[in-house]
Amino acid sequence: MAVSLKKRDKYEEVYYKRLATNKAAFDLMTEEQQKVVRDTQVALRRFVTEFSETFDVTTPTARDLQDCFWRMNNAFRTEEGAE
């Protein structure tokens, strides 16, 4: 079922508002704090990608790390298309 234009517009409005809110909050962090968050995101992304390409992500620890990665990614996303 196709998403109506009105629903898509509402989704995009919420999405862009969230990006702006995240960016404003992120900008309040010190440079060191921002660097730690970004470095952690990169390390988690690398681990999740390598681990899921090599193994089935079925262990509780792997699932937890993967879940944390995506939650962190979404919580600190500050621009469109950034993952």
Side-chain angles (χ1 to χ4, degrees):
M1 175 187 270
V3 176
S4 72
L5 185 57
K6 188 174 183 177
K7 283 185 180 180
R8 189 181 75 197
D9 289 346
K10 180 65 177 170
Y11 169 80
E12 287 178 356
E13 178 185 332
V14 170
Y15 174 77
Y16 288 117
K17 185 176 180 179
R18 183 176 180 186
L19 289 180
T21 300
N22 287 354
K23 175 137 180 44
F26 194 78
D27 288 345
L28 293 174
M29 292 183 192
T30 66
E31 284 184 35
E32 185 177 348
Q33 290 169 327
Q34 290 178 7
K35 181 172 177 10
V36 168
V37 169
R38 293 294 186 217
D39 290 349
T40 301
Q41 287 177 305
V42 168
L44 278 172
R45 178 185 312 282
R46 231 177 311 168
F47 172 80
V48 167
T49 301
E50 289 174 16
F51 194 88
S52 54
E53 288 175 358
T54 310
F55 302 101
D56 230 355
V57 183
T58 55
T59 66
T61 302
R63 280 195 307 268
D64 289 347
L65 279 170
Q66 191 172 44
D67 180 58
C68 287
F69 165 74
W70 285 110
R71 286 185 8 231
M72 184 175 201
N73 183 67
N74 292 330
F76 287 98
R77 180 176 294 186
T78 58
E79 58 189 46
E80 185 177 10
E83 285 194 57

